[in-house]
Amino acid sequence: QVQLVESGGGSVQPGGSLRLSCAASAGKIYNVDVMGWYRQTPGQQRESVAQITSGGRTNYADSVKGRFTISRDNAKTTVYLQMDSLTLEDSGVYFCNVARPTNLGSRNFWGQGTQVTVSS
């Protein structure tokens, strides 16, 4: 079992920046784990924002490419999301995710979410 804790959410004006962090407060993060961020707005499904492997391979949603940067610390146990040039559409609750491959598919662990509000 992995418990994840996010931090760094808040309110910002359009064009501003925020940096989210996520670390495991309990359990271990392994090299096989893919860490990432998802976001959700009211009435919408949770959507993928960005993922990163322990080897540094990244994947971004088209809507955030060139504006968001995901990174992972040297110990590979903390993941960050640098969000620049924020727009109103970036508002939502951002969830940290760890996807661990198993024989039955990926097992997902989720943080509690952190609110990001972009408004003028």
Side-chain angles (χ1 to χ4, degrees):
Q1 188 73 11
V2 176
Q3 294 183 358
L4 302 170
V5 178
E6 302 109 332
S7 61
S11 296
V12 65
Q13 292 185 336
S17 298
L18 285 173
R19 187 180 192 229
L20 306 182
S21 300
C22 171
S25 62
K28 292 186 67 175
I29 304 295
Y30 298 104
N31 283 338
V32 297
D33 294 338
V34 177
M35 302 186 77
W37 293 93
Y38 289 70
R39 67 186 178 193
Q40 190 169 21
T41 54
Q44 300 295 320
Q45 286 189 331
R46 194 170 297 186
E47 63 174 356
S48 171
V49 175
Q51 288 79 40
I52 186 169
T53 67
S54 62
R57 190 168 67 240
T58 59
N59 182 65
Y60 294 95
D62 288 342
S63 60
V64 307
K65 283 180 181 176
R67 300 187 299 118
F68 290 12
T69 303
I70 190 170
S71 60
R72 199 160 165 172
D73 72 338
N74 288 337
K76 309 295 190 292
T77 60
T78 301
V79 64
Y80 305 95
L81 186 68
Q82 177 66 41
M83 305 186 293
D84 298 319
S85 303
L86 285 160
T87 70
L88 300 177
E89 289 72 31
D90 293 318
S91 294
V93 179
Y94 283 68
F95 295 90
C96 179
N97 169 265
V98 168
R100 178 167 296 164
T102 72
N103 290 336
L104 300 177
S106 286
R107 182 180 181 186
N108 286 289
F109 302 96
W110 296 96
Q112 80 285 355
T114 185
Q115 178 71 46
V116 171
T117 302
V118 184
S119 68
S120 54

PDB file of all heavy atoms in Angstrom, residues 21-35:
ATOM      1  N   SER A  21       3.677  19.151  -5.827  1.00  0.00           N
ATOM      2  CA  SER A  21       4.589  18.106  -5.373  1.00  0.00           C
ATOM      3  C   SER A  21       3.779  16.938  -4.835  1.00  0.00           C
ATOM      4  O   SER A  21       2.678  17.119  -4.322  1.00  0.00           O
ATOM      5  CB  SER A  21       5.509  18.620  -4.264  1.00  0.00           C
ATOM      6  OG  SER A  21       6.294  19.703  -4.701  1.00  0.00           O
ATOM      7  N   CYS A  22       4.344  15.765  -4.932  1.00  0.00           N
ATOM      8  CA  CYS A  22       3.680  14.569  -4.412  1.00  0.00           C
ATOM      9  C   CYS A  22       4.742  13.613  -3.904  1.00  0.00           C
ATOM     10  O   CYS A  22       5.683  13.270  -4.627  1.00  0.00           O
ATOM     11  CB  CYS A  22       2.853  13.903  -5.501  1.00  0.00           C
ATOM     12  SG  CYS A  22       2.201  12.285  -5.043  1.00  0.00           S
ATOM     13  N   ALA A  23       4.578  13.177  -2.680  1.00  0.00           N
ATOM     14  CA  ALA A  23       5.518  12.231  -2.089  1.00  0.00           C
ATOM     15  C   ALA A  23       4.747  11.134  -1.384  1.00  0.00           C
ATOM     16  O   ALA A  23       3.598  11.316  -0.981  1.00  0.00           O
ATOM     17  CB  ALA A  23       6.442  12.952  -1.109  1.00  0.00           C
ATOM     18  N   ALA A  24       5.398  10.015  -1.218  1.00  0.00           N
ATOM     19  CA  ALA A  24       4.783   8.898  -0.515  1.00  0.00           C
ATOM     20  C   ALA A  24       4.987   9.091   0.984  1.00  0.00           C
ATOM     21  O   ALA A  24       6.128   9.164   1.451  1.00  0.00           O
ATOM     22  CB  ALA A  24       5.395   7.585  -0.970  1.00  0.00           C
ATOM     23  N   SER A  25       3.880   9.179   1.718  1.00  0.00           N
ATOM     24  CA  SER A  25       3.974   9.298   3.173  1.00  0.00           C
ATOM     25  C   SER A  25       4.040   7.942   3.839  1.00  0.00           C
ATOM     26  O   SER A  25       4.430   7.811   5.006  1.00  0.00           O
ATOM     27  CB  SER A  25       2.769  10.075   3.720  1.00  0.00           C
ATOM     28  OG  SER A  25       1.579   9.381   3.434  1.00  0.00           O
ATOM     29  N   ALA A  26       3.665   6.918   3.119  1.00  0.00           N
ATOM     30  CA  ALA A  26       3.739   5.544   3.619  1.00  0.00           C
ATOM     31  C   ALA A  26       3.907   4.627   2.416  1.00  0.00           C
ATOM     32  O   ALA A  26       3.433   4.925   1.326  1.00  0.00           O
ATOM     33  CB  ALA A  26       2.492   5.181   4.410  1.00  0.00           C
ATOM     34  N   GLY A  27       4.559   3.508   2.643  1.00  0.00           N
ATOM     35  CA  GLY A  27       4.812   2.592   1.539  1.00  0.00           C
ATOM     36  C   GLY A  27       6.051   2.994   0.765  1.00  0.00           C
ATOM     37  O   GLY A  27       6.684   4.010   1.048  1.00  0.00           O
ATOM     38  N   LYS A  28       6.375   2.226  -0.235  1.00  0.00           N
ATOM     39  CA  LYS A  28       7.572   2.470  -1.028  1.00  0.00           C
ATOM     40  C   LYS A  28       7.213   2.694  -2.484  1.00  0.00           C
ATOM     41  O   LYS A  28       6.236   2.158  -3.001  1.00  0.00           O
ATOM     42  CB  LYS A  28       8.525   1.272  -0.925  1.00  0.00           C
ATOM     43  CG  LYS A  28       9.144   1.069   0.436  1.00  0.00           C
ATOM     44  CD  LYS A  28      10.178  -0.037   0.398  1.00  0.00           C
ATOM     45  CE  LYS A  28      11.381   0.351  -0.442  1.00  0.00           C
ATOM     46  NZ  LYS A  28      12.445  -0.676  -0.386  1.00  0.00           N
ATOM     47  N   ILE A  29       8.024   3.518  -3.138  1.00  0.00           N
ATOM     48  CA  ILE A  29       7.927   3.718  -4.573  1.00  0.00           C
ATOM     49  C   ILE A  29       9.051   2.928  -5.219  1.00  0.00           C
ATOM     50  O   ILE A  29      10.213   3.082  -4.837  1.00  0.00           O
ATOM     51  CB  ILE A  29       8.053   5.209  -4.941  1.00  0.00           C
ATOM     52  CG1 ILE A  29       7.003   6.045  -4.214  1.00  0.00           C
ATOM     53  CG2 ILE A  29       7.948   5.387  -6.450  1.00  0.00           C
ATOM     54  CD1 ILE A  29       5.579   5.741  -4.595  1.00  0.00           C
ATOM     55  N   TYR A  30       8.721   2.097  -6.186  1.00  0.00           N
ATOM     56  CA  TYR A  30       9.703   1.254  -6.843  1.00  0.00           C
ATOM     57  C   TYR A  30      10.034   1.801  -8.229  1.00  0.00           C
ATOM     58  O   TYR A  30       9.286   2.588  -8.797  1.00  0.00           O
ATOM     59  CB  TYR A  30       9.179  -0.175  -6.952  1.00  0.00           C
ATOM     60  CG  TYR A  30       8.922  -0.825  -5.621  1.00  0.00           C
ATOM     61  CD1 TYR A  30       7.625  -0.972  -5.133  1.00  0.00           C
ATOM     62  CD2 TYR A  30       9.972  -1.291  -4.832  1.00  0.00           C
ATOM     63  CE1 TYR A  30       7.388  -1.576  -3.917  1.00  0.00           C
ATOM     64  CE2 TYR A  30       9.743  -1.889  -3.611  1.00  0.00           C
ATOM     65  CZ  TYR A  30       8.448  -2.031  -3.160  1.00  0.00           C
ATOM     66  OH  TYR A  30       8.221  -2.623  -1.937  1.00  0.00           O
ATOM     67  N   ASN A  31      11.149   1.365  -8.755  1.00  0.00           N
ATOM     68  CA  ASN A  31      11.571   1.829 -10.077  1.00  0.00           C
ATOM     69  C   ASN A  31      10.576   1.468 -11.168  1.00  0.00           C
ATOM     70  O   ASN A  31      10.507   2.142 -12.194  1.00  0.00           O
ATOM     71  CB  ASN A  31      12.943   1.270 -10.422  1.00  0.00           C
ATOM     72  CG  ASN A  31      14.067   1.987  -9.705  1.00  0.00           C
ATOM     73  OD1 ASN A  31      13.899   3.121  -9.267  1.00  0.00           O
ATOM     74  ND2 ASN A  31      15.204   1.341  -9.574  1.00  0.00           N
ATOM     75  N   VAL A  32       9.811   0.431 -10.969  1.00  0.00           N
ATOM     76  CA  VAL A  32       8.834   0.031 -11.994  1.00  0.00           C
ATOM     77  C   VAL A  32       7.589   0.908 -11.979  1.00  0.00           C
ATOM     78  O   VAL A  32       6.792   0.862 -12.911  1.00  0.00           O
ATOM     79  CB  VAL A  32       8.425  -1.443 -11.837  1.00  0.00           C
ATOM     80  CG1 VAL A  32       9.624  -2.343 -12.050  1.00  0.00           C
ATOM     81  CG2 VAL A  32       7.784  -1.691 -10.472  1.00  0.00           C
ATOM     82  N   ASP A  33       7.442   1.695 -10.913  1.00  0.00           N
ATOM     83  CA  ASP A  33       6.241   2.517 -10.795  1.00  0.00           C
ATOM     84  C   ASP A  33       6.302   3.701 -11.734  1.00  0.00           C
ATOM     85  O   ASP A  33       7.328   4.367 -11.858  1.00  0.00           O
ATOM     86  CB  ASP A  33       6.085   3.028  -9.366  1.00  0.00           C
ATOM     87  CG  ASP A  33       5.811   1.907  -8.379  1.00  0.00           C
ATOM     88  OD1 ASP A  33       5.342   0.834  -8.806  1.00  0.00           O
ATOM     89  OD2 ASP A  33       6.058   2.110  -7.176  1.00  0.00           O
ATOM     90  N   VAL A  34       5.187   3.973 -12.369  1.00  0.00           N
ATOM     91  CA  VAL A  34       5.029   5.193 -13.158  1.00  0.00           C
ATOM     92  C   VAL A  34       4.286   6.197 -12.286  1.00  0.00           C
ATOM     93  O   VAL A  34       3.227   5.885 -11.738  1.00  0.00           O
ATOM     94  CB  VAL A  34       4.241   4.930 -14.455  1.00  0.00           C
ATOM     95  CG1 VAL A  34       4.030   6.227 -15.229  1.00  0.00           C
ATOM     96  CG2 VAL A  34       4.964   3.901 -15.315  1.00  0.00           C
ATOM     97  N   MET A  35       4.842   7.363 -12.134  1.00  0.00           N
ATOM     98  CA  MET A  35       4.209   8.404 -11.328  1.00  0.00           C
ATOM     99  C   MET A  35       3.603   9.447 -12.248  1.00  0.00           C
ATOM    100  O   MET A  35       4.139   9.712 -13.338  1.00  0.00           O
ATOM    101  CB  MET A  35       5.218   9.044 -10.373  1.00  0.00           C
ATOM    102  CG  MET A  35       5.872   8.047  -9.424  1.00  0.00           C
ATOM    103  SD  MET A  35       6.926   8.833  -8.184  1.00  0.00           S
ATOM    104  CE  MET A  35       5.685   9.462  -7.042  1.00  0.00           C
TER     105      MET A  35
END
